[in-house]
Amino acid sequence: MMDPTLWSSLYIHLQRPSTKLLRQVAYFAEVCFARSKDIPLTFAISISNLFETSRMQPLILALIAHEARWSRIAINFIRPNSLYFPKIMADMGVGNIVHLKTAGADHLKEFHFNFPQWFIYSMTLPFRHLETLRIASSDFMVRDVAESTLKSWLPLSPNLTELEVEGQDHFIVSVSQILQRDFRQGKEGTSYTPPFLLPKLRILIASPHLLSNLTCPALEKYVLNYQAGDFMHGAHDFLAFVERSTPPLHTLHVRDWCSFSDLEALRGYLIPSITSLAIIRPGEELIDILSRRSEGGVFSVLPGLEHIELHNFEEAYFKDISKLLVSRWKDAAGAHRSLKSVKLVQCFDPIPRFLTMLRSAEPIDYDEMTLAVQRIPDKWREITRCAADGLQFFFD
């Protein structure tokens, strides 16, 4: 007898598929869905460089036909070259729109999609098990689509633990107005929308402009994935959000620190509760801020910082970052030392073998380690002394 669980998980990745191939894939998906019977479905599809979006419809319709069984679903349409933008817009006719009514209901745990303009949302039942929701916009997102998408999902997702909202500038601005059509009249007759409560959200990946409409009292990690326009205003939204939510926020991940042009705006995100900081493409402003101390010797910014993660750090700043790490570890020994680990991602190649040996799970050959120490380049010596003293290093 055929086991239906063998057919309940399906991953499809296509690059510039032909119409014939898409029809074959849609048929194959229908067979899998039928053979999986009533088992909850895990389905992921990624299509890149498809210039006529209407050709996706048979596959999407096959998936929609079994939406009541959705468990973990990911739909990713990777846009083609912008040269084809007018053709794509013309291709997004009314005939391509599909309706979501149940979208997994009691089964849905995770949903990722970046083409929400394909859907009309008619869901009414709450998603009691939905924990992860990722909504990314394409270049063809319009304001009404952005608003209706989040307005349809968030009120039905009381147990959401991770939310990612990503998009272009016009999408971000639209999202920040997500609830603005449900007006409540204030004392002076002005329109007012209370922040939307997500009581169990632990991870938020979004522009700071979205924060003014959210309250997340359980938030532990914030990933700032887009920063545009008024830098200082974004920091104000962030600080107001923290004051309103009073979350146990301890992790801050900034995907592009170079987007900050204002030093004070940059400082606004470094609140004292942050113990883990991850930065992509950090600049000298970050080093300067993290190195500052008060008169008592305590670091004035992020005094409790335990983990630093740096991505794509430029070689020109090696001496500065080395000085920062040494000061956070060696010079702050004792009561003022909080730093425990450092992770370097695509930084400072090559990494001295001594540092990689310390992280190895293999038994240490002390003769080999002694030789590795002797071969450490001069510029790495202070960092390796910290590593030998107990500061943990990770590399990727």
Side-chain angles (χ1 to χ4, degrees):
M1 184 176 180
M2 187 178 300
D3 185 354
T5 59
L6 297 175
W7 305 92
S8 62
S9 298
L10 184 61
Y11 173 69
I12 298 172
H13 176 71
L14 302 173
Q15 185 170 5
R16 197 173 295 181
S18 64
T19 300
K20 180 179 179 180
L21 178 58
L22 284 170
R23 289 174 180 170
Q24 292 173 338
V25 170
Y27 174 75
F28 174 71
E30 289 176 346
V31 171
C32 292
F33 296 152
R35 292 180 178 178
S36 62
K37 296 185 178 180
D38 58 352
I39 301 295
L41 295 174
T42 296
F43 179 83
I45 177 171
S46 177
I47 300 181
S48 60
N49 295 319
L50 181 65
F51 302 128
E52 296 177 6
T53 60
S54 59
R55 293 196 285 132
M56 291 192 299
Q57 193 171 36
L59 182 57
I60 297 298
L61 290 176
L63 179 63
I64 296 295
H66 298 270
E67 65 170 317
R69 295 193 288 134
W70 285 6
S71 177
R72 301 183 186 278
I73 304 296
I75 303 173
N76 185 32
F77 173 76
I78 302 173
R79 67 180 180 86
N81 190 290
S82 59
L83 175 66
Y84 297 90
F85 180 81
K87 182 175 179 56
I88 292 172
M89 291 298 293
D91 185 52
M92 289 169 51
V94 176
N96 294 335
I97 300 299
V98 292
H99 290 255
L100 286 183
K101 297 179 181 179
T102 59
D106 280 345
H107 298 294
L108 191 63
K109 299 177 181 178
E110 190 170 349
F111 191 32
H112 307 209
F113 59 118
N114 74 333
F115 214 61
Q117 56 266 53
W118 262 62
F119 302 108
I120 291 178
Y121 308 97
S122 305
M123 302 96 68
T124 57
L125 296 177
F127 302 107
R128 295 183 299 173
H129 301 290
L130 181 62
E131 295 182 347
T132 301
L133 178 63
R134 293 193 173 103
I135 303 173
S137 79
S138 59
D139 283 348
F140 0 104
M141 179 70 71
V142 295
R143 185 175 68 181
D144 289 345
V145 172
E147 292 179 0
S148 64
T149 299
L150 283 176
K151 285 182 64 176
S152 298
W153 283 94
L154 293 188
L156 301 177
S157 309
N159 297 316
L160 205 63
T161 61
E162 181 173 355
L163 173 64
E164 178 173 355
V165 182
E166 184 173 8
Q168 303 299 321
D169 190 25
H170 59 284
F171 175 61
I172 294 299
V173 172
S174 301
V175 168
S176 69
Q177 302 170 358
I178 169 180
L179 299 175
Q180 293 300 318
R181 293 185 180 180
D182 297 332
F183 292 129
R184 187 177 74 187
Q185 294 299 317
K187 294 182 179 180
E188 298 179 358
T190 57
S191 298
Y192 171 75
T193 302
F196 193 85
L197 176 65
L198 294 174
K200 298 183 179 181
L201 195 74
R202 294 186 297 104
I203 301 175
L204 175 61
I205 306 172
S207 161
H209 300 294
L210 179 61
L211 297 177
S212 60
N213 289 314
L214 295 177
T215 297
C216 309
L219 193 70
E220 299 172 2
K221 178 179 180 179
Y222 176 52
V223 180
L224 197 165
N225 71 344
Y226 191 76
Q227 177 74 18
D230 187 348
F231 300 100
M232 185 62 72
H233 181 69
H236 286 165
D237 287 339
F238 174 76
L239 293 174
F241 164 81
V242 170
E243 182 178 358
R244 177 174 65 253
S245 302
T246 61
L249 184 61
H250 55 73
T251 299
L252 177 66
H253 188 162
V254 182
R255 288 188 173 174
D256 189 356
W257 201 266
C258 292
S259 63
F260 287 88
S261 63
D262 187 285
L263 191 60
E264 291 306 312
L266 182 151
R267 288 175 58 92
Y269 295 87
L270 304 179
I271 58 177
S273 65
I274 298 298
T275 60
S276 181
L277 179 66
I279 307 291
I280 295 179
R281 296 198 303 155
E284 59 183 335
E285 297 90 350
L286 171 69
I287 301 171
D288 178 65
I289 289 177
L290 295 180
S291 300
R292 296 179 184 177
R293 301 196 197 197
S294 63
E295 293 182 0
V298 179
F299 288 97
S300 58
V301 175
L302 302 186
L305 187 61
E306 298 178 356
H307 176 73
I308 298 177
E309 182 173 322
L310 302 175
H311 297 242
N312 305 104
F313 202 91
E314 295 184 15
E315 182 71 26
Y317 299 126
F318 183 92
K319 290 183 178 180
D320 294 318
I321 196 62
S322 176
K323 183 178 179 181
L324 169 65
L325 298 180
V326 170
S327 65
R328 284 271 176 173
W329 175 261
K330 184 178 177 180
D331 297 344
H336 295 163
R337 176 191 286 175
S338 63
L339 189 62
K340 297 178 180 178
S341 62
V342 176
K343 183 175 182 179
L344 302 177
V345 180
Q346 297 182 3
C347 299
F348 312 138
D349 189 44
I351 304 295
R353 177 161 172 72
F354 173 77
L355 291 176
T356 58
M357 290 175 67
L358 289 177
R359 300 306 312 157
S360 174
E362 299 296 327
I364 296 177
D365 183 328
Y366 288 97
D367 290 336
E368 185 181 357
M369 178 172 285
T370 300
L371 184 61
V373 171
Q374 294 174 351
R375 294 177 176 175
I376 294 173
D378 290 341
K379 71 175 185 178
W380 282 93
R381 290 196 178 273
E382 288 299 320
I383 288 182
T384 53
R385 287 191 181 101
C386 295
D389 191 35
L391 179 59
Q392 294 185 337
F393 279 84
F394 302 88
F395 306 95
D396 196 352

